[in-house]
Amino acid sequence: MRKTLRITAALGAAALALTACGGGEGSNGAASGEISYWLWDANQLPAYQQCADDFAKANEGLSVKITQTGWDDYWSKVTNGMASGEMADVFTDHLAKYPDFVKTEQLLEISEANVDMASFQEGLADLWVGPDGKRYGLPKDWDTIALFYNKAMAAEAGVTEEQMASLTWNPQDGGTFEQVIAKLTVDKNGKRGDEPGFDKNNVETFGLGLNNSGAGTGQIEWSWFVATTGWRHTDTNPWGTKYNFDDPRFQESIAWWAGLIDKGYMPKLETTVGASMNDSFGAGKAAINASGSWMLNTYFGYDGVEVGLAPTPEGPEGRASMFNGLADSIWVGTKNAENAAKWVDYLASPACQDVVGSMGVVFPAIQSGTDKASEAFSAKGIDTTPFTQHVEQGTTFLFPIGDNAAKIEGIMKPAMDAVLSGTPADSLTAANEQVNALFK
């Protein structure tokens, strides 16, 4: 549905009052023709610079200054900027972060009047509507999860592309997925994980790579197989207030996953600290990695590694992938609200999203941009079907959105770390009680 929500004069006045002492790099002091825009992904910077140049040509007197900062420093910069008044007019926002920004009233409501809301992939726009019914972001892209695998290793083990494309999984014995993981695991004597004499304490190549324990979301780590049991993070989404880490389906699935470490099929958690999961794959230390579509160019960029893509395995209730999406948000303290809104509208339009798609880095939020991205990846020899089929076949579930994200992460990370280090999975019931207590 198209809705017309307007930034009211009162809200604009409130924003100005909030930042009477603002200015500088982010807020620009007073209303200005220069709009400041922050993002974290260096790979996307050229595409958005092109959008900024095109926007300036179409809007005389306006320009966009883009600042790119790496992921870890980016969020410190954003939170510090909001506190100090030295914040961007517009910034790339993440679903794990924006509930806290809504709660602390750091985001300006965004109008839908000049945007074709029906053009976004189904469900993406809904993610950015707060519990108050107001919109705080316009979708810019989306991502799903698939399996990256080393084709040479698979061929040497006798695992075909057809087998990789039709993997099955269950939490009891891991299905054909675990069988393939075992076959692709090789110890330092050349013994495979499914062969007699395999030495699980001296592994040369793990069948499945490990990023970390996934804390409370497990986007690339475990969400894509646990969700095939019908389990979901919360009672409702978005804005759920009851978490389900005590569900037997979740605990049984995580126990299976942790068991891969004990069997020698996946690296120990402590060995991943400070390491890069994708670089380990590139170095031949892992045969399969589950990861997001935003990592396509990274995985296919390793010299001497022929990379294959396979869909996530089919579980008891089919396939599943978390459906995540970024958006562009406007800081409430901007003194450039009208121009910032024009830039956000442009970022959500085919004029920009088709440019982003044609660069072949991520999948833009609107269908035409997605199509152009698929074409761009195809031109590089990459078939992105394992990612796009989740959207086309409706096997996605939404990123869990709600209050207390940072606190939940603080509870679930040590709890999940402990399970991967040998603590029984039913210990997660106590962690779940702590999480749910946050909402009482």
Side-chain angles (χ1 to χ4, degrees):
M1 293 179 61
R2 293 172 183 258
K3 300 177 183 176
T4 302
L5 302 176
R6 299 186 181 279
I7 300 173
T8 64
L11 184 55
L16 291 175
L18 281 170
T19 56
C21 298
E25 176 192 349
S27 60
N28 296 313
S32 166
E34 182 180 83
I35 305 155
S36 55
Y37 178 52
W38 291 357
L39 52 76
W40 67 75
D41 190 351
N43 294 323
Q44 295 187 61
L45 180 57
Y48 282 103
Q49 186 59 59
Q50 183 63 57
C51 288
D53 293 343
D54 294 343
F55 174 79
K57 290 177 182 177
N59 294 272
E60 185 176 355
L62 297 184
S63 63
V64 179
K65 179 184 179 182
I66 301 178
T67 301
Q68 182 269 323
T69 309
W71 171 267
D72 291 333
D73 293 332
Y74 181 84
W75 293 109
S76 296
K77 184 180 177 73
V78 167
T79 53
N80 291 337
M82 289 176 174
S84 67
E86 298 292 322
M87 176 61 193
D89 299 310
V90 179
F91 68 103
T92 300
D93 208 348
H94 193 284
L95 290 170
K97 306 290 184 180
Y98 108 97
D100 286 339
F101 298 150
V102 172
K103 191 173 184 178
T104 55
E105 300 181 345
Q106 290 293 333
L107 304 180
L108 199 62
E109 181 183 356
I110 293 177
S111 169
E112 298 179 358
N114 300 314
V115 179
D116 180 7
M117 301 303 294
S119 68
F120 298 120
Q121 297 283 5
E122 186 176 356
L124 284 183
D126 298 339
L127 298 173
W128 295 93
V129 176
D132 55 5
K134 297 178 181 179
R135 172 165 300 287
Y136 293 106
L138 286 178
K140 63 193 293 93
D141 56 36
W142 60 266
D143 54 70
T144 53
I145 307 300
L147 303 180
F148 294 88
Y149 69 95
N150 186 306
K151 280 189 172 184
M153 291 180 180
E156 186 176 349
V159 178
T160 67
E161 293 186 21
E162 290 73 23
Q163 288 174 310
M164 288 298 301
S166 57
L167 296 171
T168 61
W169 174 83
N170 65 74
Q172 289 78 43
D173 62 19
T176 62
F177 186 41
E178 181 168 334
Q179 292 172 20
V180 167
I181 291 172
K183 190 177 289 291
L184 292 175
T185 301
V186 183
D187 70 15
K188 293 187 177 180
N189 295 316
K191 289 287 186 180
R192 298 189 177 278
D194 60 351
E195 293 179 334
F198 168 70
D199 184 357
K200 70 176 185 179
N201 296 314
N202 291 285
V203 177
E204 185 69 28
T205 299
F206 293 97
L208 184 64
L210 178 64
N211 184 43
N212 54 56
S213 67
T217 57
Q219 182 179 9
I220 68 172
E221 293 84 7
W222 44 258
S223 68
W224 45 275
F225 64 84
V226 180
T228 69
T229 66
W231 177 87
R232 294 295 182 267
H233 293 74
T234 56
D235 54 346
T236 59
N237 194 28
W239 308 103
T241 57
K242 179 181 181 296
Y243 278 74
N244 301 316
F245 300 120
D246 58 347
D247 190 311
R249 294 173 296 181
F250 177 75
Q251 295 184 5
E252 185 178 20
S253 299
I254 295 301
W256 167 82
W257 185 49
L260 296 179
I261 295 176
D262 185 58
K263 294 173 182 177
Y265 301 163
M266 190 167 72
K268 294 180 179 180
L269 180 64
E270 59 265 28
T271 67
T272 69
V273 177
S276 163
M277 182 177 75
N278 48 278
D279 284 346
S280 293
F281 176 89
K285 298 299 182 181
I288 302 173
N289 275 3
S291 196
S293 50
W294 66 90
M295 293 295 290
L296 274 162
N297 287 328
T298 297
Y299 276 93
F300 280 87
Y302 290 112
D303 291 336
V305 180
E306 187 178 5
V307 180
L309 276 177
T312 52
E314 186 172 351
E317 295 190 13
R319 300 188 196 281
S321 172
M322 187 178 285
F323 194 36
N324 187 24
L326 306 180
D328 291 303
S329 296
I330 303 174
W331 179 47
V332 72
T334 180
K335 290 183 168 63
N336 240 347
E338 183 177 351
N339 293 336
K342 288 181 180 179
W343 172 235
V344 169
D345 287 349
Y346 187 82
L347 288 167
S349 72
C352 178
Q353 297 213 2
D354 287 357
V355 167
V356 175
S358 67
M359 298 280 189
V361 179
V362 294
F363 294 111
I366 63 175
Q367 186 60 53
S368 62
T370 293
D371 292 341
K372 288 188 177 297
S374 294
E375 293 168 4
F377 283 120
S378 180
K380 301 176 185 179
I382 303 173
D383 179 4
T384 58
T385 301
F387 291 107
T388 58
Q389 72 179 46
H390 282 298
V391 176
E392 294 164 358
Q393 297 175 6
T395 55
T396 61
F397 61 94
L398 299 179
F399 186 101
I401 304 166
D403 291 333
N404 300 308
K407 293 179 180 178
I408 293 169
E409 191 86 353
I411 293 169
M412 290 306 299
K413 186 180 187 307
M416 291 294 294
D417 285 358
V419 172
L420 286 192
S421 299
T423 300
D426 60 9
S427 63
L428 297 172
T429 297
N432 192 69
E433 291 173 354
Q434 293 180 55
V435 168
N436 286 337
L438 297 172
F439 296 91
K440 293 180 181 179

